[in-house]
Amino acid sequence: MGSADRRVIIEDRSQVMKNNHKGLLLALSVGVCVIFYLLLNSSLDKVFTLLQGGFSNLSNELPNYPGRPTQGDHGSLADISSRGDGLKDPHPSTRPGIMFVQTSSELEPSQLAVCAVESAARANPKKAVYFFMKEFNGSLVYQQPQYKAIPLLSSFKNIVILPLDLKELFSNTRLAEWYEKVNPSTEKYWIHVLSDACRIALLWKYGGIYLDTDIISLKTLEFKNFICSQSENYANSAALGFNRSHSFTHSCITDYVENYNGDNWGQQGPDLISRMFRKWCNTVNLDDYLDAECNGIHYLPQKWFYPVPYSDWKLYFVENTWKENDASGIEREFSQTRGVHIWNFLSGGHGNQIKESRSLMEYFFSKYCPSTYKILQDN
């Protein structure tokens, strides 16, 4: 081989190395840009998650990527076949679902709350069910026998337990200014008004369905914008469904802050939803739109979530209401009900017995949240 040939080979190799260096520099530049973008527009945990998992989840982080769900893009969710540790994926920011909130400082939710979450997961196996807990620290070290609820709920593939980070949730909304000024120690109904704030913030930021932890799900729920009637010309806020960034939830946040009154129970809850929906429909009588749609929002009839009025909440606990092998009457009575609201604000402090009571509550527990019901049996 002549010296000229050797020079050609050396020059070719040099050119290849230069090209490789250019490609590497380009890849590094793109990576640095993406990281800076996320640092400016997202939280650090998302950055670390992205770095650990590679760039396969980039479509879920960049807001204008065509594959990301947008407002109104709330179709049926795919089956969740593998949940990993159940904490980081899925998340309502990328996969809207059914959301519950616990604003108290307890790590062991009530049996009714556990039943509510379990029943929602069983009735909606293709939807993610998110349980936000204020005292949950983001790990699954809560083991039996000290803890029962978290291990039980974590065993369901479509249940995700998440920490309730209030500052992060309220950030970039007017609720942030309210949260900075309010003094929880002087609030008469702090847990309730905080829950009222959380539900509208969650629906505004993520979209999906919100349910109170005293609603036992009986049937599958659809993703759509809805409010449910509680009684004549009055709506409730225990069950709500909205697309992400919906103007109704935005107006609710504004009214919440501007007309806040912590001494008036319901002012920020059912009263808020009722008065804002009247404005939305430009009517004084909400029943004009009962079981119909008003400017894109379905106003569901009372039987969907409030088949038993709050004044009759004790009916859920009447003993010997059903026989073990004959529940046909109950099924007919609640055939059009998606979830029963138990009115825990009234019933929670009465120590009602469920186990072996043959009450409606025992029937609902045994059929719609059998894992929670087993805990009752073991106690």
Side-chain angles (χ1 to χ4, degrees):
M1 180 181 294
S3 59
D5 294 331
R6 284 194 297 272
R7 283 198 302 272
V8 171
I9 293 173
I10 292 172
E11 288 173 358
D12 288 344
R13 289 177 178 174
S14 176
Q15 186 63 38
V16 170
M17 293 179 65
K18 289 179 180 179
N19 290 337
N20 288 340
H21 288 157
K22 289 180 180 179
L24 180 60
L25 288 173
L26 178 61
L28 289 173
S29 300
V30 171
V32 170
C33 290
V34 170
I35 291 172
F36 273 112
Y37 174 88
L38 292 173
L39 285 171
L40 291 173
N41 293 277
S42 186
S43 58
L44 286 175
D45 61 326
K46 290 184 178 179
V47 177
F48 294 142
T49 300
L50 181 63
L51 292 175
Q52 291 172 353
F55 290 86
S56 60
N57 293 325
L58 188 59
S59 62
N60 292 330
E61 304 295 338
L62 302 182
N64 294 321
Y65 189 88
R68 181 176 182 176
T70 57
Q71 181 175 335
D73 184 14
H74 287 170
S76 298
L77 303 179
D79 286 301
I80 304 169
S81 57
S82 178
R83 202 188 67 180
D85 62 3
L87 299 175
K88 296 180 180 178
D89 185 31
H91 188 273
S93 61
T94 55
R95 181 177 290 181
I98 299 173
M99 299 177 289
F100 294 87
V101 171
Q102 175 156 309
T103 54
S104 69
S105 299
E106 300 172 355
L107 268 173
E108 188 68 11
S110 69
Q111 292 169 338
L112 177 55
V114 180
C115 178
V117 178
E118 178 189 344
S119 64
R122 289 183 181 274
N124 301 271
K126 293 186 177 182
K127 293 183 179 68
V129 176
Y130 303 103
F131 188 19
F132 289 88
M133 299 178 66
K134 189 165 73 72
E135 293 302 308
F136 185 65
N137 67 11
S139 71
L140 291 180
V141 297
Y142 306 103
Q143 299 176 350
Q144 297 186 18
Q146 182 178 1
Y147 299 100
K148 293 184 178 181
I150 292 178
L152 185 155
L153 295 176
S154 299
S155 67
F156 287 83
K157 291 182 178 181
N158 61 329
I159 293 179
V160 183
I161 305 175
L162 294 167
L164 179 61
D165 187 331
L166 294 170
K167 287 186 177 180
E168 180 182 358
L169 176 60
F170 297 148
S171 65
N172 301 317
T173 75
R174 291 196 62 184
L175 287 168
E177 62 184 81
W178 163 79
Y179 185 62
E180 290 177 0
K181 295 177 182 178
V182 71
N183 182 358
S185 63
T186 62
E187 290 291 323
K188 186 176 181 180
Y189 303 109
W190 173 242
I191 291 177
H192 301 281
V193 298
L194 181 58
S195 175
D196 293 333
C198 288
R199 72 192 66 191
I200 55 177
L202 286 169
L203 289 169
W204 163 252
K205 283 198 166 184
Y206 305 134
I209 297 170
Y210 168 85
L211 297 178
D212 270 359
T213 53
D214 59 348
I215 289 183
I216 301 176
S217 295
L218 310 186
K219 295 180 177 65
T220 301
L221 296 175
E222 300 176 18
F223 283 121
K224 62 182 179 181
N225 301 317
F226 74 82
I227 296 170
C228 189
S229 168
Q230 171 187 308
S231 56
E232 182 179 353
N233 195 31
Y234 193 71
N236 199 295
S237 58
L240 300 167
F242 281 96
N243 292 338
R244 179 189 293 119
S245 303
H246 197 285
S247 55
F248 181 84
T249 52
H250 184 269
S251 64
C252 286
I253 290 175
T254 301
D255 186 275
Y256 185 106
V257 176
E258 294 182 350
N259 298 300
Y260 180 75
N261 181 359
D263 292 330
N264 183 8
W265 188 90
Q267 166 74 9
Q268 288 71 228
D271 289 354
L272 169 67
I273 299 300
S274 296
R275 65 176 175 267
M276 297 310 296
F277 196 42
R278 292 190 189 100
K279 290 182 181 180
W280 181 267
C281 299
N282 192 26
T283 183
V284 295
N285 186 11
L286 291 179
D287 291 346
D288 291 342
Y289 296 94
L290 193 61
D291 206 8
E293 185 176 303
C294 173
N295 296 325
I297 300 176
H298 296 262
Y299 191 43
L300 304 177
Q302 180 179 346
K303 58 191 175 186
W304 275 60
F305 292 102
Y306 314 108
V308 174
Y310 73 91
S311 56
D312 296 330
W313 65 266
K314 292 182 180 179
L315 291 177
Y316 285 124
F317 300 91
V318 174
E319 296 184 358
N320 300 315
T321 301
W322 67 286
K323 298 179 181 179
E324 187 171 1
N325 297 321
D326 183 14
S328 56
I330 296 177
E331 293 299 320
R332 286 194 301 270
E333 181 70 22
F334 296 94
S335 61
Q336 299 183 60
T337 298
R338 299 304 189 274
V340 288
H341 188 231
I342 308 300
W343 308 106
N344 190 59
F345 181 72
L346 297 170
S347 64
H350 289 261
N352 301 288
Q353 180 68 29
I354 297 176
K355 180 184 175 183
E356 298 179 355
S357 65
R358 316 312 299 169
S359 63
L360 287 174
M361 282 293 286
E362 184 173 15
Y363 175 77
F364 291 142
F365 265 72
S366 64
K367 180 170 182 178
Y368 298 104
C369 57
S371 297
T372 307
Y373 182 62
K374 187 176 186 304
I375 291 180
L376 291 177
Q377 291 178 318
D378 291 343
N379 287 343

